[in-house]
Amino acid sequence: MPNTLASLRQQLIQLQALREQGTLSDSAHAAARDALERRIVDAVLHGAVDEPGAARPSGAAVPRSTGALLLWATPVAVVVLIAGAAYWWKTSSGPGSAAPAPVTASGVAASSPPGKAPHNTSANEIAAMTERLALKMKDRPEDAEGWAMLARSYAVLGRHGDALAAYQRALALRTDDATLIADYADALAMQANGSLEGEPVKQVQRALKLDPRNLKALSLAGTAAFDRKDYAAAVKHWEQMSAIGPSTDVLVMQVQAGLSEARRLAGAPASALAAAVSAATAAPASVSGTVSLAPSLAKLADPQDTVFIFARAAQGQRAPLAVLRKQVKDLPLKFTLDDSLAMSPESRISSAAQVIVSARVSKSGNALPQTGDLSGQAPPVGLGNTAIAIEIGERVK
């Protein structure tokens, strides 16, 4: 059966029917439902729609007359994606499975374009999914990704106060996640009737300090500049987005109309993009931070054991893009991963928008993980991040 949203939803209905007939036990139904709901999220990520052949609505950023946040003309399917992530995170295999940054919370309330039927998933279903996630979080208070997903789901529903509380819980556990901070800034702005002034823009600046290439933070920084009529700064931020992000990225596509307007108001020629491309490529194509060994595992590691510190793309291929080899006796240590540590000319860290940095103590000296090795991993970060902190605190089983 093809992975259109309609067909996947039909499979959900069939699962429920099998449960009611007694063919499926409650536990088997729950497991199958969770797997199917993740497929729905994955289908949305890859552009599936309810009707085969239906066109995906394109996004366009248009400055509001009030000069506040840009109104994103968002496909309704994205709303389902964000809310459905409440199920996605609980079945993910780790930070490498994290969902890409969603569109701004200011846009998820946008209606479907004229002539397009809204997505079949109702607001009640989205709310129910969110409430189930909220209940689960009572038993998982240390799950930063869970709190982040709950916050984004609340934002989808327009429950900005609840979203802020959930973001604060997530940020208390993950202080150096630039995308999470940018989402928090967006939620703060929505709570302030769309204004980025004050605390929201401070959080945007905090995100950009951690990750100068973060698309969400750049989009909000451009919006803040547009609001204060600093059109040259808005052009700079949005052109940097266009230079860094792929042309198919939702945020990059949505900002183009606003960028054109900012260029017009600033009197900037369209060719100014070339300068932004040059500046973007000059940005540090590296990540750096510290690696330490948890005291509780110190007795399990010999000073001569090999330590591998490596980065791989947050999305796509899992092969390492940069690898640094040290020893346990060198810990704790500061590291920098860049193109000089690439394993092949075709796979360089500069080719990735975001990377996941891991560290592993290899008892055998083998590059492949083995039972008994010790490991640690940081959440996805953008290139240029210099504040990565990894604690090797888990045993490989």
Side-chain angles (χ1 to χ4, degrees):
M1 184 175 290
N3 278 351
T4 63
L5 294 180
S7 68
L8 291 172
R9 287 172 55 81
Q10 182 61 35
Q11 292 176 58
L12 278 178
I13 295 172
Q14 292 170 350
L15 275 179
Q16 180 63 22
L18 290 172
R19 178 192 184 191
E20 292 174 353
Q21 294 167 5
T23 306
L24 278 181
S25 66
D26 288 348
S27 59
H29 170 265
R33 182 198 62 194
D34 286 354
L36 191 52
E37 284 176 336
R38 177 170 178 177
R39 287 178 61 196
I40 290 175
V41 174
D42 289 339
V44 174
L45 270 175
H46 289 87
V49 290
D50 267 344
E51 297 178 72
R56 295 180 66 191
S58 59
V62 181
R64 292 172 59 178
S65 58
T66 56
L69 284 174
L70 298 180
L71 279 176
W72 307 118
T74 307
V76 178
V78 177
V79 176
V80 183
L81 165 61
I82 300 171
Y87 283 100
W88 191 17
W89 69 264
K90 73 178 179 180
T91 57
S92 66
S93 58
S97 301
V103 296
T104 56
S106 53
V108 296
S111 60
S112 299
K116 295 290 182 182
H119 194 280
N120 288 339
T121 300
S122 69
N124 288 339
E125 288 176 302
I126 296 174
M129 294 171 73
T130 302
E131 290 308 315
R132 287 197 290 270
L133 175 57
L135 288 174
K136 179 173 287 294
M137 291 311 301
K138 292 181 179 180
D139 299 323
R140 305 180 69 168
E142 303 302 314
D143 187 341
E145 184 65 21
W147 285 115
M149 290 298 179
L150 181 60
R152 289 162 182 152
S153 297
Y154 278 141
V156 168
L157 296 172
R159 294 170 57 175
H160 303 304
D162 291 331
L164 288 176
Y167 275 127
Q168 289 161 2
R169 293 291 295 268
L171 286 169
L173 298 167
R174 187 180 292 173
T175 60
D176 59 354
D177 187 326
T179 295
L180 184 59
I181 294 169
D183 288 340
Y184 177 52
D186 192 32
L188 284 170
M190 293 308 297
Q191 184 77 339
N193 296 318
S195 174
L196 279 162
E197 290 304 307
E199 188 60 26
V201 78
K202 289 181 182 178
Q203 295 297 325
V204 172
Q205 293 166 352
R206 175 187 170 195
L208 287 175
K209 186 175 181 180
L210 285 168
D211 180 5
R213 299 162 63 93
N214 185 276
L215 296 183
K216 176 68 174 286
L218 285 170
S219 71
L220 292 174
T223 301
F226 192 99
D227 290 350
R228 61 177 182 269
K229 295 181 171 55
D230 187 351
Y231 303 117
V235 169
K236 175 184 175 183
H237 291 304
W238 289 338
E239 284 189 336
Q240 189 176 0
M241 284 181 66
S242 298
I244 293 172
S247 60
T248 55
D249 184 274
V250 173
L251 286 175
V252 173
M253 290 190 295
Q254 289 172 336
V255 82
Q256 295 309 306
L259 174 55
S260 297
E261 179 68 4
R263 281 182 183 144
R264 184 186 69 79
L265 293 170
S271 60
L273 179 58
V277 172
S278 177
T281 55
S286 64
V287 291
S288 58
T290 59
V291 173
S292 61
L293 179 63
S296 60
L297 298 183
K299 293 182 179 180
L300 301 179
D302 185 274
Q304 304 303 316
D305 285 344
T306 300
V307 177
F308 291 104
I309 304 166
F310 55 95
R312 60 179 175 83
Q315 295 181 352
Q317 64 171 343
R318 299 182 63 84
L321 302 175
V323 180
L324 181 63
R325 182 171 180 151
K326 292 290 184 178
Q327 290 183 308
V328 169
K329 65 182 181 182
D330 300 319
L331 301 176
L333 65 84
K334 295 182 178 180
F335 70 88
T336 296
L337 299 176
D338 56 27
D339 283 347
S340 69
L341 299 172
M343 297 184 67
S344 72
E346 293 76 24
S347 299
R348 298 173 180 267
I349 196 170
S350 58
S351 66
Q354 282 194 315
V355 296
I356 295 172
V357 181
S358 305
R360 181 169 53 83
V361 174
S362 173
K363 304 296 293 182
S364 64
N366 195 318
L368 297 176
Q370 297 183 7
T371 301
D373 287 353
L374 312 176
S375 67
Q377 183 170 287
V381 298
L383 297 188
N385 192 303
T386 61
I388 301 171
I390 300 175
E391 182 180 68
I392 300 174
E394 297 182 0
R395 298 187 66 180
V396 176
K397 298 180 179 179

